[in-house]
Amino acid sequence: MKTQSSATALPTIAVTTPRPRGSGFGTLQAALGVVAFSLTFPATAWGLEGFGPWTLVAVRSVLAALIAGGCLLALRIPLPARRHRPGLAVVAAGVVVGFPLLTTLALRTSTTAHAAVVVGLLPLTTALFSALRVGSRPSRTFWAAALAGACAVGAFTVQQSGGALTTADLYLFGALLVCAAGYTEGGRLARTMPGWQVIGWALVLCLPLTAPAAAVALSYEPVQLTAHSAAGLLWVAVGSQFLGLVVWYRGMAAVGIPKASQLQLAQPLLTLVWSVLLLGEQLTPAAPLTAAAVLVCIAVTQRARG
C-alpha cells in the first residue's frame, strides 16, 4: 500500500512575524511630546519677560508638581517601589531641575534659534546613554542616520548663531547631558510603571527643594506679570514639564528609547517655526533644506532595526 509522507500530508502555512501592537500609537505619543517640547524655548523666552530665571524654573516645577501630586492623590497611586527611587532621582535631577535651569540661564543671552542646537544633538546623546544604560544595540544604519541628522541640525543651528562659543553654550552643553540621562532613565522606568507616574513622582520628589527655592527667588527677583509671561510660565509648567513628558515617556516605552529619541531631530526646526510666529525671529534659506534632510533621517531611523 502506498503511503503519503508527512511533508505532503500537512498543509503549508505561511508564518509572518506580527508587528508589535501599539508601536504606531507609541510613535504618535512620542511625536506629541516633541511638539510640546518644541514650544519650550519660545515659552521660556516669554516667561523671562516677566520673571527672573531662578523664579521661572522654580515656580514652573512647583506648579507642575502640584498638578502631578493632585493626580497621584486622586487616583490613590501607591508610593513607588524602593528599587525605582534611584531612577526617579535621575529623572528629577535631569528633567525637572537640570535641563530647565541650564536652558533658562542660557536663554538670557542666547536666541531660541541658537538654543535649539541642544535639542538637535539630544537624540544622538540619548541613544548613546541608552546603549550604555539599558544595553540597546541599534544597527549601523540607525547610527549613520542618527549622526547625519544630528550633524545637519547642529550645522544649521550653529550657523544661525555665527558659530561663536559663549557661556550660554556651556549651559546648553550641560543641559544636553543631564537631559539625555533623565530621558534614558525615564524611558527605562516607563517600561514597568505608567509614564505619567514617572514624571509625576519625579516632580513630587523635587517639591521639598523647588518650593523653598520658589519662595526665595520670588523675594529676590522682581516679577512683572504680563500676558506673555503668564502664558509662558503656564506652558512650561503644564505643557512641557508635565503633559509633554507624560506622552513622551509612554512613547519611549512603546517604541524604544533610541527610535523615539530620533523623532526629536524635528524639534529644533519646529522651535524655529514657533520662534518666527511667536517671537518674530527670522529664518535663513537653509531651513527648508535642513528640514528635508531631517525628515529623511527620521524615516531611516524609524525603519532601521536595532
Side-chain angles (χ1 to χ4, degrees), residues 28-40:
L28 175 61
Q29 290 182 99
L32 289 175
V34 170
V35 173
F37 299 153
S38 70
L39 281 160
T40 300

Side-chain angles (χ1 to χ4, degrees), residues 37 40-41 98-100 102-104 106-107 110-126 150 153-158 161 168-180 183 261 264-265 267-269 271:
F37 299 153
T40 300
F41 287 167
F99 186 79
L102 292 172
T103 53
T104 300
L107 285 171
S110 173
T111 64
T112 56
H114 182 77
V117 71
V118 78
V119 288
L121 299 177
L122 187 56
L124 184 59
T125 309
T126 303
V153 173
F156 175 68
T157 50
V158 169
S161 65
D169 293 316
L170 298 179
Y171 286 136
L172 293 171
F173 181 72
L176 172 69
L177 296 178
V178 298
C179 190
Y183 278 176
S261 68
Q264 280 195 305
L265 288 170
Q267 186 174 325
L269 301 177
T271 298

